[in-house]
Amino acid sequence: MTRAGQGEEPQEPDATMQLKVPADFRADETMQLRVSDIPDIPENRSGKSEKAQKSEKPDKASRSGNRRKAPRTPFLVQLSATLGPRLAPLLAFLAPYVARLAPYARKLRPLYPRPGRTGWRRWIPSWRQSLGGFFASIGLTSMFLVVAYAATDVPENLNTYATQQDNVYFWADGTPMARTGWVQRQAMPLKDIPEDVRWAVLAAENASFYSDPGISFKGISRALFRTLGQGDTQGGSTITQQYVKNVYLNQNQTVSRKFTEAMISLKLDNQMSKDDILEGYLNTSWFGRGTYGIQRAAQAYYGKDVSELNASEAAFLASLLKGAGLYDPTLNSANRARAVERWTWTLDRMVEIGKLSKTERAKYKKFPEPLKSNPLYDTGEQSDYLVELASQYAKKSGGISDKDFDLGGYQIYTTFDKKREDQLTEEVTAARKKALKDDPKKAKTTHYGAASVDADGRILAVYGGPDHRTQGYNESNATTVQAGSAFTPFVYAAALENGIHKTRDGDTTPVTPESLYNGDNEVPVTTPEGPYWDRNGRKVSAKNDGERSYGQISLRRAMELSVNTPFMQLGMDAGLDVVRKTAEDSGFLSSSIGAQVPLMSLGSSTPSAIRMASGYSTFAADGRHTEPYSVRKVTKNGSTVPLDTPAARRVVGAEVAQQVSSALADNFRASHPSDVPAGQQTAAAASDLSEVAGKAGTTQNDTAAWYVGTAKAVSTAVVVYRIDLTKSLEPLPLEGIAGTTDDSVPYGIWSGAMSPLG
């Protein structure tokens, strides 16, 4: 036995050692002696001294601290551990048959070169060997497919893009208004997709869908051949395979992806019903124009729901599954030719497979031209303000969480009237442009809020700002500036409904439109105990516009002429708490109501344009108020979402409401006689809801100008104010930017938006 250090190369330690034996030993020159538990021997395989080794530059492993990786489990061991439990029953079943075939298999074992042959014939297999090889290849292939099938699981999670949907908003007439979300998709139950639509797709893509096993062996072979020969795998997929690709896999054109697709398709076909697979396919397929699913495709190309499609339109949409970029006829003439050819073939194919009668087919001779562009456009400018209002209301009223709403799939049918919205936006935009031209400096800090509300509570139109993308907050919904004298109708209604108190604890005294009050300028406000003093020790009084005095004047006349001082005293007599309750019941938010001091009666409250219009709508609805709402229906993938719809409630009696409306109609006739519609020159039709009624609103510190009025049971409020948002939220004086009494900017917007008034 050799030893290191005696002039010979040191040997690497091992679990065996060689022992020399005498030369005459017959068995062999060496015998192996197995030695266990050999102590660790310092590594010095190079033969160099330890000092020399230390002087050398350490290698990469040494620099990393001689850390050794944990031994990896061999792949076959891992595979055995994974597949063993699954294949055990199969192997147990096959064991007896394998034992029987073993003797025959040994006979088929090839012997190369073949004995008894010479030359090249020695290498030609016999017929038995050829037959054995053929069956062996079939067996191995079958076993490989069985193992692959057993090892393939249907993924639990769908692709993100396959489940994400958009939320779509509709105008009051049902036409699309806007959509939000990353994709245009709306899942539809198969029961809501007409059979003609289903079979148009099946005829074009996979007529044997209901009888095939989920894959097409012929198609897969063709796709494999094209992949190896030309580098793509298009074609040859069943609808099940396409669905698997859409929701579980990616769009990579590779053989491995195609094989995985086939295995999952086979397993999915055994786990899901054909109807469920078809429903999933129709809801996840790409149809072009930014749309996924047959529902969005129907809306994008024909402006209708899928339930309204006929067989001809469905045949065209089915052609898009071959590639929207090649079959959308609006792109170019070549696309149109392809689309017409494919459309014709699909309809004929439907007749061929017995899903469309020849009589029905004969009706479709003309190609169903799709819309030039997708009506499901993105939001922007004014529509963003509408979407913001509608989404907030839908979530609150429908009990929808932000998370669920963001996942999409909702259809929000709003109350917004497109014609009124366009008209209101046009009028405010024109006023903005004029202000920028006449006084650019003041116009930069001028804001315009406007809203139209029906007597039944529906918000028909709003103006939220110039562009939501540059100004996020909604001017129509901002509680920023005081209502001013536009608030006095609520004081009038509170007194007419509840009466007044002449003494602190005395009985209530009724009030009528003919009740007289002092209309002089700066008349002091009194209480049953005497004058009302503010915290600074001064008597509180009100001012009339133009500081004009009217003497004793009836309440009706005071409303007609916009005399302020009677209503400050009337609010004190009726009770500020009563006035507050009347305003809140009419739609004012409690947080916007001013302090209960005399100035509350002259509009120290800060309602939004929506709430002001909603308040006036109470009088148009004969004293019943419905909370303003912007959404009339919400569905999710075709199923209705229950909404907490507001109900009308009584605020004041019908007679009181008519008396207030009559006084407001008098005000409109007196202020704008040239705009009074024919047939409404007198107050004879005070209770007619179509009568035009309205009132201007001014504030004592000139920070806001209002006009609120009703025509044809629709109330519209317009407010103009100034705020420099770069400095503070404190309102600035208008300084003439809102016009004059005779040329009021709010009234100009109101009359244009409500035109025609009659």
Side-chain angles (χ1 to χ4, degrees):
M1 181 177 64
T2 61
R3 297 177 58 186
Q6 295 182 356
E8 299 205 7
E9 199 68 28
Q11 300 297 318
E12 184 175 346
D14 198 355
T16 62
M17 298 182 66
Q18 291 185 338
L19 181 66
K20 293 283 186 176
V21 297
D24 58 352
F25 189 75
R26 295 182 180 180
D28 199 351
E29 292 184 357
T30 62
M31 293 182 63
Q32 287 188 335
L33 177 64
R34 185 168 298 275
V35 181
S36 60
D37 299 330
I38 300 177
D40 291 340
I41 301 175
E43 295 185 4
N44 188 10
R45 300 175 183 176
S46 63
K48 298 179 181 181
S49 67
E50 184 176 350
K51 182 176 181 180
Q53 283 186 327
K54 290 182 179 180
S55 64
E56 291 184 351
K57 184 177 179 180
D59 59 11
K60 184 176 180 180
S62 300
R63 291 196 302 268
S64 63
N66 283 328
R67 290 177 300 191
R68 296 181 179 179
K69 295 183 179 179
R72 297 181 59 183
T73 305
F75 172 74
L76 293 178
V77 176
Q78 294 181 11
L79 185 64
S80 176
T82 302
L83 300 181
R86 299 184 181 184
L87 298 180
L90 178 64
L91 295 177
F93 173 77
L94 295 176
Y97 301 97
V98 172
R100 293 181 183 180
L101 294 175
Y104 301 97
R106 283 193 293 269
K107 293 181 180 180
L108 295 175
R109 184 178 57 188
L111 297 175
Y112 284 97
R114 293 178 63 192
R117 300 288 191 275
T118 60
W120 59 269
R121 292 182 178 82
R122 299 174 61 200
W123 303 99
I124 301 300
S126 67
W127 67 269
R128 291 184 178 180
Q129 293 171 342
S130 300
L131 186 63
F134 173 74
F135 283 113
S137 62
I138 292 179
L140 290 174
T141 301
S142 300
M143 180 171 292
F144 171 75
L145 293 177
V146 169
V147 171
Y149 180 85
T152 301
D153 290 322
V154 177
E156 295 182 359
N157 298 321
L158 305 181
N159 289 332
T160 302
Y161 67 85
T163 56
Q164 188 177 8
Q165 302 181 62
D166 57 357
N167 293 323
V168 181
Y169 299 77
F170 299 89
W171 293 104
D173 62 1
T175 57
M177 181 183 77
R179 69 177 182 87
T180 58
W182 293 104
V183 298
Q184 291 188 43
R185 177 188 285 114
Q186 176 192 342
M188 292 293 290
L190 191 65
K191 63 181 179 61
D192 294 336
I193 301 175
E195 286 198 15
D196 280 348
V197 178
R198 303 183 215 170
W199 279 106
V201 172
L202 292 175
E205 292 294 305
N206 186 189
S208 62
F209 169 72
Y210 279 100
S211 60
D212 65 38
I215 64 173
S216 169
F217 295 101
K218 180 179 178 181
I220 291 176
S221 300
R222 182 169 61 251
L224 181 61
F225 174 77
R226 295 187 63 184
T227 300
L228 297 176
Q230 302 179 16
D232 70 72
T233 59
Q234 297 178 357
S237 295
T238 64
I239 279 180
T240 305
Q241 289 175 263
Q242 294 180 54
Y243 173 64
V244 167
K245 180 177 66 175
N246 289 343
V247 302
Y248 295 120
L249 305 176
N250 53 46
Q251 305 299 313
N252 294 340
Q253 304 295 329
T254 61
V255 175
S256 60
R257 199 273 297 157
K258 197 73 179 177
F259 181 78
T260 304
E261 171 191 302
M263 291 297 102
I264 296 178
S265 298
L266 283 170
K267 185 158 286 188
L268 194 69
D269 192 73
N270 290 327
Q271 295 179 1
M272 290 178 65
S273 69
K274 288 289 189 178
D275 283 348
D276 287 343
I277 294 174
L278 180 60
E279 177 182 307
Y281 172 74
L282 292 174
N283 284 320
T284 57
S285 295
W286 167 255
F287 285 87
R289 293 193 179 183
T291 63
Y292 288 87
I294 192 70
Q295 168 71 350
R296 283 291 175 267
Q299 294 170 341
Y301 288 92
Y302 291 107
K304 60 177 70 174
D305 288 340
V306 65
S307 60
E308 301 171 0
L309 293 176
N310 58 37
S312 177
E313 294 164 337
F316 162 69
L317 293 181
S319 69
L320 297 171
L321 295 168
K322 296 288 289 182
L326 296 174
Y327 290 90
D328 186 344
T330 63
L331 299 180
N332 52 59
S333 58
N335 273 20
R336 190 181 188 284
R338 279 190 291 265
V340 172
E341 181 182 3
R342 183 72 175 175
W343 166 77
T344 302
W345 178 85
T346 300
L347 289 175
D348 292 341
R349 178 66 170 156
M350 291 178 70
V351 175
E352 182 182 339
I353 63 177
K355 297 303 177 181
L356 186 68
S357 67
K358 293 183 178 180
T359 303
E360 187 74 11
R361 171 67 180 92
K363 297 179 182 179
Y364 305 126
K365 297 180 179 180
K366 184 178 180 181
F367 180 70
E369 298 288 350
L371 300 175
K372 296 297 183 183
S373 61
N374 185 352
L376 298 174
Y377 46 79
D378 289 329
T379 58
E381 300 183 354
Q382 278 303 303
S383 58
D384 273 348
Y385 297 108
L386 306 182
V387 165
E388 182 182 58
L389 284 174
S391 62
Q392 290 174 353
Y393 183 86
K395 287 187 284 188
K396 180 179 179 181
S397 182
I400 305 170
S401 67
D402 290 338
K403 178 181 178 181
D404 289 341
F405 196 80
D406 289 343
L407 288 176
Y410 291 94
Q411 300 79 52
I412 299 94
Y413 296 86
T414 73
T415 61
F416 302 126
D417 185 303
K418 189 176 190 306
K419 182 178 179 181
R420 286 185 180 274
E421 178 65 32
D422 291 343
Q423 197 165 340
L424 180 62
T425 301
E426 182 180 345
E427 292 297 327
V428 180
T429 302
R432 277 189 183 275
K433 290 181 179 179
K434 186 176 184 302
L436 285 169
K437 181 180 179 181
D438 296 343
D439 195 338
K441 185 176 181 180
K442 291 189 181 69
K444 290 181 180 179
T445 57
T446 303
H447 300 269
Y448 302 77
S452 295
V453 179
D454 194 272
D456 61 9
R458 289 177 296 128
I459 302 176
L460 303 180
V462 301
Y463 180 85
D467 190 335
H468 190 274
R469 292 167 292 191
T470 57
Q471 177 183 293
Y473 85 95
N474 190 335
E475 292 175 347
S476 71
N477 204 29
T479 56
T480 306
V481 293
Q482 295 181 353
S485 55
F487 185 81
T488 55
F490 302 100
V491 181
Y492 187 36
L496 291 175
E497 178 73 15
N498 300 284
I500 61 174
H501 293 273
K502 293 295 186 180
T503 61
R504 182 67 62 186
D505 299 320
D507 294 334
T508 301
T509 302
V511 172
T512 70
E514 304 307 322
S515 298
L516 298 177
Y517 269 77
N518 191 338
D520 288 342
N521 186 55
E522 292 193 358
V523 61
V525 177
T526 63
T527 67
E529 289 79 17
Y532 185 94
W533 303 83
D534 64 15
R535 293 183 178 181
N536 296 321
R538 292 175 298 188
K539 292 182 180 180
V540 175
S541 60
K543 291 183 179 181
N544 292 323
D545 291 342
E547 298 185 357
R548 181 179 174 182
S549 294
Y550 295 85
Q552 292 295 307
I553 187 172
S554 69
L555 292 175
R556 179 189 179 98
R557 184 67 173 166
M559 183 65 67
E560 177 186 348
L561 301 178
S562 296
V563 183
N564 295 334
T565 52
F567 293 102
M568 182 177 280
Q569 184 60 54
L570 182 64
M572 296 297 293
D573 294 345
L576 295 178
D577 57 336
V578 175
V579 173
R580 179 188 182 96
K581 185 177 187 305
T582 301
E584 290 182 355
D585 290 346
S586 297
F588 281 56
L589 298 176
S590 59
S591 59
S592 70
I593 302 292
Q596 286 187 199
V597 296
L599 280 177
M600 186 178 79
S601 297
L602 291 187
S604 62
S605 301
T606 57
S608 65
I610 293 176
R611 289 292 170 172
M612 184 64 92
S614 176
Y616 271 59
S617 72
T618 302
F619 308 129
D622 279 342
R624 296 177 67 85
H625 176 74
T626 304
E627 277 290 288
Y629 63 98
S630 57
V631 177
R632 58 186 177 85
K633 184 176 73 171
V634 175
T635 61
K636 183 173 185 181
N637 299 332
S639 300
T640 301
V641 177
L643 293 181
D644 186 11
T645 306
R649 64 179 185 276
R650 174 67 62 184
V651 178
V652 295
E655 183 179 357
V656 169
Q658 291 168 10
Q659 290 171 338
V660 176
S661 294
S662 178
L664 292 173
D666 291 343
N667 183 290
F668 175 75
R669 280 189 291 269
S671 303
H672 308 282
S674 61
D675 293 340
V676 178
Q680 296 185 23
Q681 301 294 334
T682 66
S687 62
D688 187 354
L689 294 182
S690 66
E691 185 179 31
V692 181
K695 189 181 185 309
T698 57
T699 58
Q700 292 189 4
N701 50 8
D702 190 37
T703 55
W706 291 81
Y707 195 86
V708 191
T710 303
K712 299 178 181 178
V714 175
S715 298
T716 297
V718 179
V719 60
V720 179
Y721 59 96
R722 288 182 61 215
I723 290 180
D724 189 348
L725 295 174
T726 62
K727 295 181 179 179
S728 72
L729 295 178
E730 190 68 24
L732 302 172
L734 290 171
E735 299 179 352
I737 197 71
T740 63
T741 302
D742 297 330
D743 186 22
S744 168
V745 172
Y747 175 76
I749 296 172
W750 180 89
S751 60
M754 299 289 280
S755 181
L757 296 174

